[in-house]
Amino acid sequence: MNTYTIDLSLRPTTFDLWHVCLAGTAAVLALILIAVLISVLLGLRRCKKSEPVAAPAPPMPAPQPEIKIVEKIVEVEKIVQAPAPEPVILKEATPDAALQLLSLLQKEARFIDFIKEDVGAFSDADIGAAARVVHQGCVKAINEHFTLAPVSSDAEGNRVTLNPGFDAASFRLTGNIVGQAPFTGTLVHKGWQVTDLRLPKLTEGHNAKIVAPAEVEL
């Protein structure tokens, strides 16, 4: 087997037609490359000249504050003064009638003597006997000068209903009072009212404050 050794450092010693063609081709390619580079540079130069210089953009105007119209609803509370309550007219009670009644109870039942007595030293039997006398005298004085009738015609313990507008002076509510009438409850006490009054007339100059004159036995 034959072995060939190529020495790349050798230089040709002959210059034939093949070498001439090869050298001419290399020269043509070099010229074409140079021409292409020149045409590219000239094109870039023309583009730079033809581009208009852009004018600087005007400065942006300062933002104006936004004005918002807000409708404010103001509630006006009209204060209407309530009508002044009617003045309560208080009747001046004359003490003569009360003093006269006290005098009658003392006269018929020794009422003042009984309540002013210290009953702590007496036995229950003695107090009961004295109370019976006082009770009888009080019944006589009341029945002689007053006519009494119950306020409610219902029997005590019955269920009753008080409609709106009931007389608050005639019925007193007790217990758990909630809301407004009508009220339904149990009649605890039927009450009393005076239907007729027969007090004796006083003479002029009579001192009604003397409900029991001092007694002097001669």
Side-chain angles (χ1 to χ4, degrees):
M1 184 177 181
N2 296 329
T3 303
Y4 296 95
T5 304
I6 298 175
D7 190 0
L8 298 177
S9 64
L10 293 179
R11 295 180 180 181
T13 56
T14 60
F15 191 74
D16 51 10
L17 182 60
W18 172 252
H19 290 88
V20 172
C21 292
L22 185 60
T25 302
V28 171
L29 292 174
L31 291 175
I32 293 173
L33 181 61
I34 293 171
V36 172
L37 293 174
I38 293 173
S39 63
V40 171
L41 292 175
L42 292 176
L44 292 175
R45 189 173 180 182
R46 290 193 192 96
C47 290
K48 289 183 179 181
K49 289 183 179 180
S50 61
E51 288 181 357
V53 179
M60 294 295 293
Q64 298 294 329
E66 184 179 358
I67 301 176
K68 294 183 179 180
I69 300 176
V70 179
E71 296 183 0
K72 185 176 182 181
I73 301 176
V74 180
E75 295 183 358
V76 179
E77 182 180 359
K78 185 177 180 181
I79 300 176
V80 180
Q81 294 183 353
E86 296 182 359
V88 179
I89 301 176
L90 301 177
K91 295 181 180 180
E92 184 178 357
T94 57
D96 292 345
L99 295 173
Q100 191 176 7
L101 174 60
L102 190 59
S103 177
L104 292 174
L105 293 176
Q106 170 63 21
K107 177 182 177 181
E108 300 294 342
R110 295 287 182 172
F111 178 75
I112 298 177
D113 294 339
F114 179 75
I115 64 173
K116 296 297 289 183
E117 185 70 35
D118 184 10
V119 297
F122 298 93
S123 63
D124 293 342
D126 293 337
I127 297 174
R132 185 182 301 276
V133 175
V134 174
H135 179 268
Q136 292 174 353
C138 290
V139 170
K140 179 182 178 183
I142 295 298
N143 290 339
E144 184 177 352
H145 300 285
F146 297 92
T147 301
L148 298 176
V151 174
S152 176
S153 58
D154 294 290
E156 295 179 355
N158 289 354
R159 300 286 290 179
V160 295
T161 299
L162 301 179
N163 295 317
F166 70 94
D167 187 5
S170 299
F171 293 88
R172 181 176 61 185
L173 302 178
T174 59
N176 186 18
I177 304 172
V178 180
Q180 298 179 349
F183 298 107
T184 301
T186 303
L187 183 64
V188 179
H189 189 273
K190 59 185 177 181
W192 293 104
Q193 58 182 336
V194 176
T195 59
D196 189 20
L197 177 63
R198 300 174 296 275
L199 289 177
K201 296 181 180 181
L202 300 177
T203 61
E204 186 177 356
H206 175 75
N207 187 2
K209 293 182 178 180
I210 307 298
V211 293
E215 297 179 5
V216 178
E217 185 178 356
L218 301 178

